[in-house]
């Protein structure tokens, strides 16, 4: 999967849209830039399946040896899957953050979209400015 086809939040979450039947599902993870900035990851917690989130709501937290960081939902909808196994193999976020390192899948609310998110080129510029 190409990172250039993803949508990004300024808070470093990425979104890949998939279609399941007639529903749009957002697969959400955190960028390699964020994983590298956090350095040694030690713990992660995700919200339960069934929780409704709005854009900017916290859907989990990730802890490194440096800090604890909230994970913010880049889209509005219901969490329909959480990659809970990832908590036992956090190294996956270092090796494959855009595939096996996905965090949650969110069924988008009617009318919800990703137009407010950044494209890859804009996200890259944001990262280099920090």
């Amino acid at each position: 999967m190409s990172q250039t086809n993803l949508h990004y939040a300024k808070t470093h979450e990425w979104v890949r849209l998939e279609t399941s039947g007639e529903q749009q599902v957002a697969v959400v993870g955190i960028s390699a830039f964020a994983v590298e900035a956090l350095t040694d990851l030690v713990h992660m917690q995700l919200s339960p399946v069934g929780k409704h989130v709005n854009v900017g709501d916290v859907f989990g937290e990730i802890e490194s040896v440096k800090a604890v960081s909230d994970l913010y939902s880049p889209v509005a909808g219901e969490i329909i899957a959480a990659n809970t196994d990832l908590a036992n193999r956090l190294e996956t976020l270092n090796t494959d953050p855009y595939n096996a390192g996905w965090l949650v899948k969110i069924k988008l609310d009617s009318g919800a979209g990703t137009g407010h998110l950044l494209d890859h080129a804009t996200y890259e510029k944001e990262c280099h400015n920090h």
Side-chain angles (χ1 to χ4, degrees):
M1 179 193 55
S2 172
Q3 300 167 33
T4 59
N5 295 330
L6 301 176
H7 307 277
Y8 296 87
K10 288 185 176 182
T11 50
H12 305 290
E13 291 83 7
W14 56 259
V15 173
R16 179 179 66 236
L17 292 178
E18 296 180 346
T19 302
S20 175
E22 294 187 13
Q23 298 178 332
Q24 283 248 290
V25 175
V27 180
V28 178
I30 57 173
S31 72
F33 178 85
V35 173
E36 186 176 320
L38 288 167
T39 62
D40 296 325
L41 303 176
V42 294
H43 179 72
M44 183 182 70
Q45 184 171 355
L46 299 172
S47 293
V49 170
K51 180 180 180 178
H52 185 274
V53 291
N54 291 309
V55 174
D57 285 355
V58 173
F59 70 87
E61 65 181 28
I62 192 161
E63 181 178 350
S64 72
V65 295
K66 292 170 52 177
V68 177
S69 299
D70 288 332
L71 300 165
Y72 299 99
S73 181
V75 294
E78 178 185 345
I79 296 174
I80 59 170
N83 193 355
T84 54
D85 290 341
L86 199 56
N88 297 323
R89 48 182 178 82
L90 287 172
E91 67 278 2
T92 303
L93 288 171
N94 291 312
T95 58
D96 196 12
Y98 298 104
N99 291 300
W102 66 274
L103 301 175
V104 293
K105 294 183 180 180
I106 299 173
K107 180 178 71 174
L108 294 181
D109 283 348
S110 178
T114 59
H116 60 287
L117 298 174
L118 306 174
D119 63 23
H120 184 260
T122 305
Y123 177 72
E124 287 286 308
K125 286 180 189 171
E126 289 277 329
C127 291
H128 290 296
N129 290 334
H130 288 112

